[in-house]
Amino acid sequence: MKNTILKKISFLFICTVISIPILTGCQQKENNKLFLTENDTSFDNISDNNTDNKIDDNNDINNIETKLEVCFGDGSEAFILHLYDNDTATAIARHVGTENWRLPIYHYDDYDNWEVMQYYDIPSRYDIPSNSENITSEKAGEVYYSEPNRIVLFFGDAQVTGEYTKVGYFDNTEEFRAAVENNPVLEGWGNKIVLINSIDQ
C-alpha cells in the first residue's frame, strides 16, 4: 500500500517538474510574440517616419524656386522672373524650357495704363491653364497671366481691374524699371521684343 502511494506521489511530482518548463516555455513564447508585435508596430512607425522624411525631402525639392531670365530687348541686361507655385507658372516654365520665347510687343504706348504696364502675347500653340481672380491693385514688378495667352507685366504701381492669374514677380529696382521703359523699338518692325529664357536650376 505504501509503495502504491509513494509511486503515485512520485508520479505526480515528476509530472509537475516536467510541466513547469513546458508552461514557462509557452509563457516565453507569448512574451516573445508580444515583443515581436511591439517591434512590428515600431518598425511600421519607423517606416512611416522615413516615409514622412522622404515626403518632406520631396517637398523641399518641390519648393525650390523656379526662375526665368527675361531681357527687355535684344542684347539687354537679364532680369530674374521669380515664379509662383501654381499650374499657370509651371506651364509657362515648362514651355520656355523646351523653347526660349522671343515675344513681340505690338502695342506699348497706345492703350490704357501703358505708363505702368505692358503685355506680351504668347503663341496660341502653347496650352496654358488659368485660375484667374479679380485683381484691382498691382505692385511694380508683378507679373500676371490673362486669357487668352497673354502675359501682363506691371512695372509701376497701379489700380487696374482685370481677371488675372498670378505668375510671378521681378525685384522692383530702378534698373528693372529703366530696362522695361527704355526697351528699344526694333528698326523696321515698329515693335519691341521681350526674351524669356529658362535657367538651369
Side-chain angles (χ1 to χ4, degrees):
M1 181 78 177
K2 277 185 180 180
N3 286 340
T4 305
I5 292 172
L6 283 176
K7 282 182 184 178
K8 285 182 180 178
I9 291 172
S10 297
F11 177 76
L12 288 173
F13 178 76
I14 291 170
C15 287
T16 304
V17 171
I18 291 173
S19 64
I20 287 173
I22 294 172
L23 292 174
T24 305
C26 290
Q27 183 62 38
Q28 283 178 346
K29 283 184 182 176
E30 286 300 315
N31 287 341
N32 285 344
K33 191 182 256 186
L34 178 62
F35 180 73
L36 288 174
T37 303
E38 288 174 356
N39 275 355
D40 288 343
T41 304
S42 299
F43 181 75
D44 288 342
N45 289 338
I46 290 170
S47 298
D48 290 342
N49 289 339
N50 287 342
T51 303
D52 290 342
N53 288 339
K54 287 179 183 175
I55 290 171
D56 289 340
D57 290 342
N58 288 337
N59 283 339
D60 289 341
I61 291 170
N62 291 334
N63 288 333
I64 292 175
E65 184 182 22
T66 303
K67 303 173 185 177
L68 296 176
E69 189 177 74
V70 180
C71 298
F72 300 95
D74 290 329
S76 68
E77 179 184 355
F79 294 87
I80 300 301
L81 171 56
H82 307 271
L83 296 177
Y84 294 128
D85 183 14
N86 62 41
D87 292 341
T88 305
T90 299
I92 290 172
R94 185 177 64 249
H95 292 313
V96 172
T98 61
E99 179 182 18
N100 292 336
W101 285 352
R102 190 169 188 265
L103 305 178
I105 311 172
Y106 295 110
H107 302 281
Y108 48 86
D109 62 0
D110 63 350
Y111 57 92
D112 289 342
N113 302 303
W114 67 269
E115 303 92 346
V116 291
M117 64 184 284
Q118 288 184 350
Y119 63 86
Y120 322 119
D121 288 333
I122 304 167
S124 59
R125 68 178 177 272
Y126 296 109
D127 183 30
I128 299 173
S130 177
N131 186 19
S132 61
E133 56 183 309
N134 189 40
I135 304 293
T136 58
S137 178
E138 299 83 10
K139 296 290 185 185
E142 290 183 326
V143 179
Y144 297 89
Y145 174 79
S146 174
E147 294 184 282
N149 280 38
R150 176 171 286 177
I151 292 176
V152 180
L153 163 66
F154 287 88
F155 57 93
D157 292 346
Q159 300 288 325
V160 176
T161 301
E163 293 294 318
Y164 299 132
T165 302
K166 293 182 178 182
V167 170
Y169 66 93
F170 290 95
D171 292 329
N172 182 24
T173 63
E174 289 183 16
E175 293 79 9
F176 160 73
R177 292 190 302 275
V180 176
E181 292 172 8
N182 299 326
N183 185 353
V185 177
L186 288 178
E187 289 185 22
W189 288 84
N191 57 23
K192 299 181 178 185
I193 290 293
V194 171
L195 298 95
I196 305 177
N197 305 316
S198 62
I199 299 175
D200 293 333
Q201 300 297 318

